[in-house]
Amino acid sequence: MDITYYDHGTPAERWERGRMFFDAKDYAAAARVLGPLVEEVPEQTGPRLLLARAYYHSAQLRRAESELRVIVERDPVEHYARLMLGRTLQRQGRDDEARPHLRLAAALGGTFDEE
């Protein structure tokens, strides 16, 4: 197995490296680090959510949607994942599918639309 810079180190080191790339707005590199990390620790929400955000910001919307759906399936009241899923669906032009997620995110966040 060839080890690259992206997958070198402990899970904690790779988590920090993924966050560093994300903070630097290098979303594709963040996804390269975080993808294998999520496979290694699939039960952890933090790396998966950051991976979904990296996919979203690098316009890999189907991948973002897939990761976000895993999160909301495991934790239906995960506010930010609901919000991101709604926005991801909107960005794909799937407004009808996005609406329930955005409404639930607003309710969980304590903000309500005046429709």
Side-chain angles (χ1 to χ4, degrees):
M1 178 172 125
D2 291 331
I3 295 179
T4 67
Y5 173 73
Y6 297 100
D7 56 12
H8 175 73
T10 67
E13 290 169 337
R14 287 179 281 140
W15 166 244
E16 287 302 317
R17 189 175 307 120
R19 288 178 52 196
M20 177 192 70
F21 281 122
F22 187 88
D23 290 344
K25 297 183 183 347
D26 189 346
Y27 303 117
R32 284 182 66 187
V33 173
L34 294 166
L37 179 60
V38 166
E39 289 178 15
E40 188 175 328
V41 290
E43 71 285 352
Q44 292 188 9
T45 299
R48 187 178 300 275
L49 185 56
L50 192 60
L51 175 60
R53 291 176 64 201
Y55 283 150
Y56 177 86
H57 288 296
S58 61
Q60 298 179 63
L61 301 178
R62 293 286 183 180
R63 288 180 172 178
E65 178 186 349
S66 177
E67 298 301 333
L68 291 163
R69 287 193 185 277
V70 169
I71 295 169
V72 298
E73 183 177 304
R74 290 182 184 167
D75 186 359
V77 296
E78 170 54 59
H79 164 260
Y80 193 70
R82 285 276 176 194
L83 177 64
M84 286 300 302
L85 180 55
R87 287 183 179 171
T88 300
L89 292 168
Q90 273 184 330
R91 200 166 160 196
Q92 294 177 68
R94 296 161 59 193
D95 293 336
D96 290 341
E97 290 178 67
R99 195 170 295 112
H101 296 288
L102 294 172
R103 284 185 177 157
L104 185 53
L108 293 169
T111 59
F112 301 94
D113 292 335
E114 303 263 343
E115 288 186 38

